[in-house]
Amino acid sequence: MFIKPLMLLASFCLLWGCQEDLMPESDADNRQREPFVVDDFTVNLNTEQDYSLSERLNNYDGIVLYFTMWCPVCDNHMQLLRSDFVAQYPNVDFVLVDYVSASAANSRTTQLNNGYRDFNVISDRDDYLENVLDGAMARVVLIDKNFTVVFSELFKNHLDLAAAIEGL
C-alpha cells in the first residue's frame, strides 16, 4: 500500500539530485585557474592507440581536451566545438575525454552512436586525466606547446575558449 508512493518519492529525490548536478545554482567555479605545467603523458584512445602529449604538440600549437559524459549538455558543447572551432583552428588538436565509460570498447561504441567519428576520444579508464586536470563533466582544458595548462574551465562561454586559443 505504501510501496508505490514510497517508490515515487524515491524517484523524485533521485531526479532532483540529477538536476542539481547538471544545473548548479551558481556559475562560480572555484577550482584553480592559474596556468600550471603538466608532465608529458601517454594515454589510450578508445581505439586502443596511444595518444602522447609530446608527440601531438610536435604537430599542433595546442591541445583542447573536452571531458564528456555523452549527455545532452556535452553533446551541445561538442557540436559547438565541431562547428565553430575545429575548422577555424587547424593548428589545435581537439580531443574528447571519455571519463565515464568502463572500457575502451564501450567508449568507442558510444562515440560512434553519438556521431563523433571525426574526433579522437581518450578512454580515461584509470581516471588519470580526470585527476591530473581536475576533469569533470563539461570541463575544457587547453594545453600549449610548453605543456602549460593555459585554460581550464567549465564550458560556459565559447568566446573565452576562443580568446585562449588566439593567445597561443
Side-chain angles (χ1 to χ4, degrees):
M1 180 168 161
F2 293 107
I3 292 176
K4 202 174 209 180
L6 190 58
M7 293 298 285
L8 202 65
L9 180 63
S11 296
F12 176 75
C13 289
L14 287 172
L15 290 174
W16 186 257
C18 289
Q19 179 184 356
E20 288 178 8
D21 290 342
L22 295 177
M23 297 184 310
E25 292 178 20
S26 168
D27 282 353
D29 184 358
N30 297 323
R31 290 186 258 191
Q32 178 182 1
R33 283 196 172 81
E34 294 296 318
F36 63 96
V37 176
V38 294
D39 292 329
D40 188 15
F41 58 78
T42 299
V43 292
N44 284 26
L45 297 173
N46 63 8
T47 57
E48 297 294 344
Q49 296 172 308
D50 286 344
Y51 183 95
S52 166
L53 181 64
S54 58
E55 287 178 18
R56 296 306 283 191
L57 287 173
N58 283 333
N59 300 316
Y60 293 96
D61 294 334
I63 295 173
V64 170
L65 300 168
Y66 178 85
F67 285 82
T68 183
M69 290 179 55
W70 306 108
C71 66
V73 172
C74 293
D75 183 52
N76 286 337
H77 295 160
M78 294 183 299
Q79 287 183 34
L80 187 63
L81 287 174
R82 176 189 279 152
S83 65
D84 290 1
F85 285 86
V86 173
Q88 186 174 348
Y89 300 104
N91 61 322
V92 175
D93 191 18
F94 291 87
V95 183
L96 307 177
V97 179
D98 180 346
Y99 69 103
V100 294
S101 295
S103 69
N106 286 348
S107 175
R108 181 72 176 161
T109 299
T110 304
Q111 172 194 4
L112 297 177
N113 287 343
N114 283 285
Y116 289 96
R117 181 177 300 275
D118 52 335
F119 278 91
N120 281 321
V121 177
I122 294 171
S123 181
D124 196 27
R125 296 176 301 237
D126 61 358
D127 302 327
Y128 175 77
L129 292 178
E130 184 181 358
N131 292 328
V132 168
L133 300 173
D134 204 14
M137 180 187 129
R139 174 147 304 267
V140 61
V141 175
L142 174 60
I143 303 173
D144 72 9
K145 280 195 164 294
N146 298 316
F147 298 83
T148 303
V149 175
V150 294
F151 183 86
S152 178
E153 292 185 8
L154 294 178
F155 196 95
K156 295 179 281 189
N157 181 341
H158 68 283
L159 298 176
D160 293 341
L161 177 58
I165 292 172
E166 293 289 336
L168 290 176

